[in-house]
Amino acid sequence: MPVNTSLKENVSIALQSIAGNRLRTSLTALIIAIGIMALVGILTAIEGIKQSVNDAFSGLGANSFTLQNRGQGLNFGDAGHRKVYPAITYEQAARFKSLFKLPVTVSINHDVTGTAVVKYNDVKSNPNISVTGSDENYMITGGRKLAFGRNFSASEIEHGTSVTIVGDEIKKRLFKGGDPINQYIFIGSNRFKIIGIFAKKGSSMGFGGDKFCIVPVFKAKQMDTTKNPTFTITIKTTSPTTLDATVGEATSLFRNIRDLNIANADNFEISRSDSIQQELSGQLSGMTIGGAAIGIITLIGAAIGLMNIMLVSVTERTREIGLRKAIGATPGVIRKQFLIEAIVICLIGGAGGIVLGMAVGNLIAVNISGSFVVPWVWLMAAIALCTLIGLISGFYPAKKASKLDPVEALRYE
């Protein structure tokens, strides 16, 4: 009970001192708030981006891989260089799909452009629409679902009919709540009939989002003006346990299709969805460490500022300390009073910093295609860090105050 009573009294005195020195307290709390805002803001933004990356790959799962003529380009080092092999032709991709007999789902894909303009009557989209050619298996291998409408038919795939399935963003932008099914739109200079709308997924760092449309892969081949277009082949297995064996079979078959003998190395890349996710998560983990370091450096500066202000507070309240000692306050009580005052100021500043940090971090994350998150772990860590900073910053001023001679303190002017 005596300990609890002493703690309650010291908290009360600390709050009275804070209320009596509002300007000094506000400046001190602001220093802490800026430090916590930097820490929480950076880490919240990274957490939002990381969650968005995980969401982007969750539809693909850990049981799919892609055959392509280049890497994914996720490395931030090596000046962005990546190997580029001879293009995978449509004929090679179609032959692979027809010959691969394992119980898997295979789709052929071709990225036509990422800057298309889609037009319906007099309404146009921004030039940021992705156009991809694919087949009837796109929704399975791409982890997408239809909101309404239908998939491509076998005849439409075979003949490259001018039909399209569009993302939710195109529906909202061009049709303003109206029914787009069986309506005609222009994608660039090509006229297409809308047969389906993809379910809304949200933007995920460029991994699809809702600003895109899918056309039959043979039609995409006709639309592409590139001299030697390349195609990708995505394979999704029934279970992650069969992935390694399927990769081996796919590699062997595609080597034969590409006319490679035993002495030749592979002239194509195999990108597994789980390895890409792990690679990008590793990059984000490094960013998290860097962000935490920046925030902690900011907080070290805030802690030094708090210590200086607490030393000024001890000097200003020398007579008060002398009076408290004269009526029986022990050095331990005086020390505890200043420590608690420093912690309370830190927690006030920390609360403001947490709110601002979450707002800034989520604003950054959402604007760069991340998602809104509440980083509970980092919030708890920020509160603990505020308490620790209060203890460290307030220790020396509290120790100095507890050692003041009461007679000399009472005579201080």
Side-chain angles (χ1 to χ4, degrees), residues 89-348:
T89 66
Y90 177 76
E91 290 72 21
Q92 289 174 345
R95 187 178 171 202
F96 177 91
K97 183 177 179 180
S98 65
L99 293 178
F100 201 56
K101 300 302 182 182
L102 292 183
V104 297
T105 303
V106 180
S107 69
I108 302 172
N109 308 289
H110 175 55
D111 294 326
V112 180
T113 180
T115 58
V117 174
V118 178
K119 181 181 177 182
Y120 173 69
N121 293 334
D122 294 329
V123 184
K124 290 183 179 180
S125 71
N126 293 325
N128 60 353
I129 304 300
S130 298
V131 181
T132 299
S134 193
D135 53 27
E136 73 282 358
N137 292 329
Y138 174 81
M139 279 176 283
I140 298 174
T141 60
R144 303 301 298 242
K145 295 180 180 179
L146 278 178
F148 47 92
R150 64 174 177 84
N151 198 357
F152 298 127
S153 68
S155 175
E156 289 166 343
I157 295 296
E158 182 181 355
H159 297 100
T161 309
S162 296
V163 292
T164 182
I165 306 172
V166 302
D168 184 74
E169 186 70 23
I170 296 175
K171 169 183 171 291
K172 289 193 298 185
R173 180 66 182 262
L174 301 186
F175 294 93
K176 312 293 184 184
D179 184 8
I181 299 297
N182 296 324
Q183 299 295 325
Y184 287 89
I185 60 173
F186 278 91
I187 302 175
S189 59
N190 295 275
R191 186 169 179 260
F192 286 87
K193 179 182 178 181
I194 297 176
I195 61 170
I197 307 294
F198 285 108
K200 185 176 180 180
K201 190 173 185 179
S203 186
S204 302
M205 295 187 65
F207 295 101
D210 296 312
K211 299 176 182 178
F212 77 115
C213 51
I214 304 298
V215 302
V217 66
F218 192 70
K219 180 64 178 180
K221 181 175 181 289
Q222 296 171 347
M223 292 171 64
D224 197 335
T225 57
T226 307
K227 183 178 179 181
N228 192 23
T230 186
F231 294 75
T232 62
I233 306 166
T234 302
I235 299 100
K236 187 166 186 176
T237 64
T238 54
S239 169
T241 58
T242 63
L243 183 62
D244 290 336
T246 306
V247 168
E249 290 289 336
T251 302
S252 177
L253 174 59
F254 203 60
R255 283 180 60 86
N256 290 334
I257 291 173
R258 300 271 273 187
D259 293 326
L260 299 175
N261 58 40
I262 297 175
N264 298 132
D266 293 345
N267 62 357
F268 54 91
E269 290 275 348
I270 292 181
S271 299
R272 293 169 56 155
S273 59
D274 56 349
S275 63
I276 297 169
Q277 184 178 7
Q278 290 168 10
E279 181 182 347
L280 194 52
S281 294
Q283 300 282 1
L284 289 173
S285 296
M287 292 172 63
T288 302
I289 294 171
I294 293 170
I296 289 172
I297 291 170
T298 307
L299 283 173
I300 289 172
I304 294 170
L306 175 61
M307 184 182 294
N308 286 330
I309 290 176
M310 289 302 296
L311 285 170
V312 171
S313 177
V314 170
T315 302
E316 288 180 350
R317 295 159 61 189
T318 300
R319 285 179 62 83
E320 175 195 327
I321 295 168
L323 181 61
R324 293 197 70 207
K325 281 194 168 186
I327 61 176
T330 64
V333 171
I334 299 295
R335 186 165 53 248
K336 194 180 298 181
Q337 173 193 337
F338 279 88
L339 279 174
I340 290 173
E341 186 173 327
I343 291 171
V344 169
I345 292 173
C346 272
L347 290 175
I348 292 172

Side-chain angles (χ1 to χ4, degrees), residues 21-87:
N21 298 276
R22 292 178 182 175
L23 179 60
R24 183 179 67 211
T25 301
S26 299
L27 291 173
T28 310
L30 182 61
I31 294 172
I32 300 297
I34 292 171
I36 292 294
M37 182 183 72
L39 179 65
V40 174
I42 292 170
L43 296 176
T44 299
I46 293 173
E47 197 71 24
I49 296 168
K50 188 181 295 184
Q51 183 170 313
S52 183
V53 170
N54 291 334
D55 291 343
F57 284 99
S58 63
L60 299 178
N63 58 334
S64 65
F65 62 96
T66 300
L67 299 173
Q68 54 196 17
N69 75 322
R70 66 183 66 199
Q72 287 289 346
L74 292 176
N75 288 328
F76 295 111
D78 196 27
H81 294 305
R82 53 183 178 169
K83 288 185 178 179
V84 178
Y85 298 106

Side-chain angles (χ1 to χ4, degrees), residues 387-403:
T387 305
L388 181 64
I389 290 171
L391 284 170
I392 294 172
S393 301
F395 178 77
Y396 178 69
K399 184 178 179 181
K400 181 180 179 182
S402 68
K403 288 185 175 181

